[in-house]
Amino acid sequence: MQISLVSFTRLPSLTGLRFFAALGVFVCHAALLTARDEGGWPPPVLFLLGAVGVSLFFVLSGFVLTLSAQPTDTARSFWRRRIAKIYPNHLVVWVALISLFRWAGMPRQDNELPHPAPSWLGDLANALLINNLIPLPKFLFAGNPVTWSLTCELVFYLLFPLLIPMVVRLRQQWLLIAAIGAVAATWVIPLISLGLHGQLLPHGFMNGRLTAPQFGLVYGFPLSRLPEFILGMILARMHANGSVGRIGVIPSVTLLAVCLPLGIAVLPAPFYFSAITIIPVALTVRAVASGDAHGARSLLRTPGMVLLGNVSYAFYLVHAMILALTLYYCSGWGAVTSACVAFLVALVASWLLYTLIERPCFQRLTTVNHRPSSQPKQIAQPPVTEPSSQG
């Protein structure tokens, strides 16, 4: 994986931004579970905050991995670091969830999707993060349902050593065109899905407007989400070269706040999950990174926000389980109180998971021992703002 890119500059605000992506997913699931507990459906914007958060994770992932890539890195060492980053936390949470589902009797949240209860084989496939690659009903949403985005990330990681040389070789004058192409691909996929027929999903405001095959293609199919990851890679080249003028964080977030409800109002449902927000998401990532590069003051780079960003992957993994536990065992507390308690418990659990599992396992699994007589080989440092998924 031979590349040539500028040396990686620490961008702590991107780490802080990761937490807001995870928070969007939490708000989505909290609104969904509490509304369903009361027999209703959450407002469309709250529900789609989860989709925005996942899209932000994918763009961030491509951006950070590209900007932090080293010429001396190899595909094997890259894949080793990615596996060390993802699997330890995932397996710990998987064991906890399967124990709750299979032996403690806690019901699974079916999200009203038309699929049967997951099988044992489905749960075991989820331990390997391959269940969403198996197009069988009892494999979908098995194990920890939010890990579908990790399957997407694994596909991105597998392709990254092939993609990075192509992105690095792009001439500066072609970067904007390449970015527009990635955005266009994000729009083409839901456009293609309009021809897919099947069982209609009974999802509240999307009732009668979205079929199960459409949802599967535009939301969970890894190659359908690949343009978002590639867009992040191209944005990293733009950032490194300073080739595109910067739009500020506030205008970018304002555009996001406008595009989400406007897109819901005027476009078909398959466009809701990434297409309508991909441009403001990309502009936000670019603006936040540029702010760090220029030394701008930012709440996102404060120690507290950086800590929250560091634990965001663990938070993403545990939040749905803790929400379900709180609503199941503490249903008498009320929806809002239960969601607030679940948020605080998830924060504590994610910090413990990050401190006791994620960080030490990553250090142990990525440490390379050399023979005294051998020449040490430089190993690329892990990204400072490594994001994960989800939604």
Side-chain angles (χ1 to χ4, degrees), residues 76-86 88 358-370 377 379-382:
R76 180 177 295 181
S77 62
F78 171 79
W79 290 330
R80 179 177 181 174
R81 292 196 307 276
R82 297 305 95 224
I83 290 172
K85 176 71 175 180
I86 283 183
E358 180 181 336
R359 188 167 57 185
C361 285
F362 184 86
Q363 292 173 348
R364 178 178 293 273
L365 294 174
T366 58
T367 298
V368 179
N369 295 321
H370 303 279
K377 179 182 178 181
I379 302 296
Q381 294 297 314

Side-chain angles (χ1 to χ4, degrees), residues 148-367:
W148 69 267
S149 64
L150 301 187
T151 302
C152 293
E153 289 281 0
L154 286 178
V155 173
F156 303 161
Y157 298 159
L158 182 65
L159 296 175
F160 184 76
L162 301 176
L163 294 171
I164 185 64
M166 292 185 285
V167 172
V168 168
R169 291 192 193 106
L170 280 173
R171 295 179 182 272
Q172 182 169 336
Q173 59 266 34
W174 287 97
L175 290 176
L176 181 58
I177 295 174
I180 293 173
V183 170
T186 304
W187 278 78
V188 167
I189 292 164
L191 184 63
I192 293 173
S193 77
L194 294 178
L196 297 178
H197 304 287
Q199 184 173 356
L200 292 172
L201 299 183
H203 274 30
F205 70 96
M206 290 186 290
N207 188 19
R209 304 173 63 188
L210 185 72
T211 68
Q214 288 173 338
F215 179 76
L217 175 65
V218 302
Y219 195 58
F221 184 52
L223 294 182
S224 297
R225 310 308 298 260
L226 183 61
E228 296 159 78
F229 180 81
I230 294 175
L231 178 59
M233 298 179 68
I234 297 167
L235 292 175
R237 281 290 319 278
M238 291 179 170
H239 175 80
N241 294 352
S243 58
V244 175
R246 179 171 66 93
I247 298 175
V249 175
I250 293 178
S252 300
V253 174
T254 301
L255 182 61
L256 177 62
V258 171
C259 287
L260 187 57
L262 182 63
I264 294 170
V266 302
L267 288 170
F271 291 87
Y272 296 169
F273 300 101
S274 61
I276 61 176
T277 56
I278 187 60
I279 291 177
V281 162
L283 291 176
T284 299
V285 171
R286 181 80 170 89
V288 170
S290 295
D292 270 359
H294 290 86
R297 301 176 66 178
S298 171
L299 174 67
L300 293 173
R301 65 190 303 175
T302 59
M305 285 306 307
V306 171
L307 174 61
L308 289 173
N310 283 331
V311 305
S312 61
Y313 172 51
F315 181 85
Y316 177 79
L317 288 177
V318 303
H319 81 275
M321 174 181 68
I322 292 174
L323 269 171
L325 276 169
T326 306
L327 293 174
Y328 182 64
Y329 291 108
C330 309
S331 57
W333 291 2
V336 175
T337 302
S338 296
C340 291
V341 170
F343 176 75
L344 295 175
V345 173
L347 278 181
V348 174
S350 61
W351 178 79
L352 291 172
L353 197 60
Y354 171 75
T355 303
L356 301 178
I357 303 296
E358 180 181 336
R359 188 167 57 185
C361 285
F362 184 86
Q363 292 173 348
R364 178 178 293 273
L365 294 174
T366 58
T367 298

Side-chain angles (χ1 to χ4, degrees), residues 88-101 120 122-128 142-144 147 321:
N89 273 2
H90 161 63
L91 291 174
V92 170
V93 177
W94 182 87
V95 169
L97 263 176
I98 296 305
S99 299
L100 290 170
F101 290 149
W120 258 112
D123 286 335
L124 290 173
N126 178 253
L128 300 175
N144 188 354
T147 57
M321 174 181 68

